C-alpha cells in the first residue's frame, strides 16, 4: 500500500485546521494538527512530515519565526513549508519566502489550489533520476550525490536552490526568463509567482558565496550562469 504523505498543519483556528485536515484526508494525505509552535515542535521531534502548512499569525512564536528556526535546523531544513496567511501584499510574500517558505498561500484559498500547491512542493522535493556531474569553472555539482563544491570546497544549498543551480549549469551561458525557470525547475503548474524565482536566486547566490557571481542577472530578461565571471574565479 502506498504511503500517504504526512502533512503537519500548524494553525491556531480549529475550524480552519479541521477543514484543511478533512480535505487532505479525502485526497490521500495524512494530516496532523498542531495549534502553536510548541505543539508543532513536538510533532516534528516525533515524526518528520513530508510537508508543513504553517500559519503566519500564531500565539507565541509567529509562523515567520518558526520557518526561520526550522530552516536553520539540519533535520528540518529540507521539509517543504507552505505559509498560510491573510497577509497578501507583495512585501509580506517576499518576507515569507525569505524566511524559508517554499510557497505562500493567501487566505481565503480554494481546496483545489491548496492541494495542487502541496503536490507541487512534494514533486519538487522528490529526488530526480539523474546521475551526472556538471562543472562551470571551479563550481561543480554532482546530481547523484546531491553535492555542490566551489574550488573543491563543499557548499550547502537548499533543495530548490540545488534544482535551480543544476538546471542553470546544464544550460550554461543561456539566458532563462523567470517563466522558463518556473516551468523547468518548479514544474508546469500555474500557482507559483515569478517573484519566487528572484527569491531563490538570491538564496542561491548567498549560499554560493564568491561563486554567486557566476549567476548573472540579465536586466529585463532573466538569469544565466556563466564561466566568464572573472572575479568569482579569483576568489579564495
Amino acid at each position: 500500500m502506498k504511503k500517504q504523505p504526512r502533512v503537519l498543519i500548524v494553525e491556531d483556528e480549529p475550524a480552519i485546521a479541521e477543514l484543511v485536515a478533512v480535505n487532505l484526508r479525502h485526497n490521500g494525505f495524512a494530516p496532523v494538527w498542531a495549534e502553536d509552535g510548541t505543539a508543532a515542535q513536538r510533532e516534528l521531534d516525533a515524526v518528520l512530515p513530508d510537508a508543513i502548512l504553517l500559519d503566519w499569525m500564531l500565539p507565541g512564536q509567529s509562523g515567520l519565526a518558526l520557518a526561520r528556526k526550522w530552516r536553520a535546523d539540519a533535520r528540518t531544513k529540507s521539509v517543504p513549508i507552505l505559509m498560510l496567511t491573510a497577509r497578501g501584499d507583495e512585501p509580506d510574500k517576499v518576507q515569507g519566502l525569505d524566511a524559508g517558505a517554499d510557497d505562500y498561500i493567501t487566505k481565503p484559498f480554494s481546496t483545489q489550489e491548496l492541494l495542487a500547491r502541496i503536490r507541487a512542493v512534494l514533486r519538487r522535493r522528490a529526488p530526480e533520476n539523474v546521475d551526472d556531474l556538471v562543472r562551470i569553472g571551479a563550481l561543480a555539482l554532482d546530481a547523484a550525490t546531491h553535492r555542490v563544491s566551489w574550488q573543491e570546497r563543499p557548499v550547502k544549498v537548499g533543495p530548490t536552490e540545488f534544482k535551480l543551480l543544476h538546471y542553470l549549469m546544464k544550460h550554461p551561458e543561456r539566458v532563462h526568463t523567470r517563466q522558463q525557470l518556473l516551468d523547468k525547475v518548479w514544474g508546469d503548474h500555474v500557482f507559483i509567482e515569478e517573484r519566487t524565482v528572484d527569491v531563490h536566486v538570491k538564496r542561491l547566490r548567498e549560499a554560493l558565496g564568491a561563486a554567486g557571481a557566476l549567476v548573472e542577472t540579465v536586466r529585463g530578461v532573466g538569469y544565466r550562469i556563466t564561466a566568464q565571471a572573472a572575479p568569482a574565479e579569483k576568489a579564495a
Side-chain angles (χ1 to χ4, degrees):
M1 186 176 178
K2 187 178 179 181
K3 173 181 173 289
Q4 291 184 318
R6 183 182 180 91
V7 179
L8 175 60
I9 305 165
V10 189
E11 166 66 64
D12 64 326
E13 295 186 38
I16 294 177
E18 179 61 24
L19 178 63
V20 171
V22 166
N23 281 288
L24 287 177
R25 203 172 291 116
H26 287 169
N27 285 275
F29 295 91
V32 179
W33 176 42
E35 61 184 353
D36 57 27
T38 302
Q41 190 62 56
R42 280 199 302 269
E43 295 292 344
L44 287 171
D45 291 342
V47 181
L48 211 58
D50 294 288
I52 300 171
L53 292 179
L54 179 60
D55 187 26
W56 182 313
M57 304 297 290
L58 291 168
Q61 279 188 297
S62 70
L64 214 59
L66 290 170
R68 291 194 184 100
K69 173 185 173 183
W70 293 333
R71 279 290 170 259
D73 187 324
R75 184 171 175 268
T76 54
K77 68 180 297 183
S78 64
V79 179
I81 297 174
L82 298 93
M83 191 78 79
L84 301 176
T85 177
R87 304 170 68 144
D89 294 338
E90 183 176 353
D92 292 324
K93 292 182 180 181
V94 172
Q95 194 177 0
L97 292 168
D98 275 341
D102 295 273
D103 202 354
Y104 191 104
I105 306 173
T106 305
K107 298 176 182 178
F109 49 82
S110 73
T111 300
Q112 291 307 310
E113 178 185 0
L114 177 64
L115 292 169
R117 287 176 181 253
I118 294 172
R119 292 187 189 109
V121 297
L122 292 177
R123 282 199 303 272
R124 299 205 297 270
R125 187 194 188 201
E128 295 184 339
N129 295 319
V130 289
D131 185 19
D132 57 345
L133 176 67
V134 285
R135 291 182 180 274
I136 301 289
L139 181 65
L141 181 148
D142 188 336
T145 61
H146 213 274
R147 287 180 177 145
V148 178
S149 64
W150 167 246
Q151 298 179 339
E152 306 304 324
R153 295 173 185 156
V155 177
K156 291 184 178 180
V157 299
T160 302
E161 288 75 38
F162 184 91
K163 290 187 71 175
L164 175 60
L165 179 62
H166 187 214
Y167 181 76
L168 289 172
M169 292 181 72
K170 292 283 283 185
H171 305 86
E173 308 299 336
R174 189 183 303 175
V175 180
H176 307 275
T177 67
R178 291 169 177 81
Q179 188 57 55
Q180 286 170 338
L181 291 172
L182 283 176
D183 290 344
K184 298 298 183 180
V185 178
W186 278 261
D188 56 350
H189 55 90
V190 299
F191 301 115
I192 302 293
E193 297 179 4
E194 290 190 0
R195 182 74 177 94
T196 302
V197 176
D198 300 331
V199 172
H200 284 283
V201 167
K202 177 187 174 189
R203 283 191 209 165
L204 176 60
R205 284 174 173 153
E206 290 172 348
L208 291 176
L214 298 174
V215 182
E216 294 185 335
T217 300
V218 180
R219 196 172 297 278
V221 184
Y223 299 99
R224 73 175 161 215
I225 193 164
T226 176
Q228 301 175 26
E233 292 290 348
K234 295 175 183 177

